[in-house]
Amino acid sequence: MRNTIIALTWVILFILFGLYIDNKVENFCIDYTKDVQETYEVIHDENWDEADKKLDDLVKKLEMTKRFLVKGSRSSILR
């Protein structure tokens, strides 16, 4: 009985962690898509200075988020 409770606890924790990561990835994708759309509109209006700033900000944001999303053992594979 004790092993069943421990196994169920781990399964519940695993599911909750999966939901947390799914939420983080979804929020990142929504924000990233919004930023790309804004950058596209600035480029389409031929405002090159503002587009350069937006692209620089987008790259910085992507690098910071990548550190969070690709942490752990997989990050050593990607290096």
Side-chain angles (χ1 to χ4, degrees):
M1 182 70 176
R2 181 173 180 241
N3 289 337
T4 305
I5 293 172
I6 292 172
L8 285 175
T9 303
W10 278 109
V11 167
I12 291 170
L13 287 174
F14 183 74
I15 289 171
L16 290 175
F17 180 70
L19 291 172
Y20 172 76
I21 292 297
D22 180 58
N23 187 33
K24 284 287 191 182
V25 170
E26 182 180 8
N27 288 340
F28 165 74
C29 291
I30 290 169
D31 291 341
Y32 188 74
T33 304
K34 189 186 312 178
D35 291 341
V36 168
Q37 183 64 32
E38 289 173 5
T39 305
Y40 170 78
E41 290 171 5
V42 170
I43 291 172
H44 188 70
D45 294 338
E46 295 184 6
N47 190 348
W48 303 115
D49 293 331
E50 188 176 344
D52 186 42
K53 289 178 189 174
K54 284 196 173 285
L55 286 172
D56 288 342
D57 291 343
L58 193 60
V59 168
K60 287 177 187 174
K61 186 188 249 185
L62 181 62
E63 286 297 320
M64 288 177 53
T65 307
K66 184 176 77 171
R67 288 186 200 141
F68 172 76
L69 294 177
V70 189
K71 240 179 189 175
S73 63
R74 290 184 49 200
S75 64
S76 61
I77 294 171
L78 297 175
R79 291 183 190 166

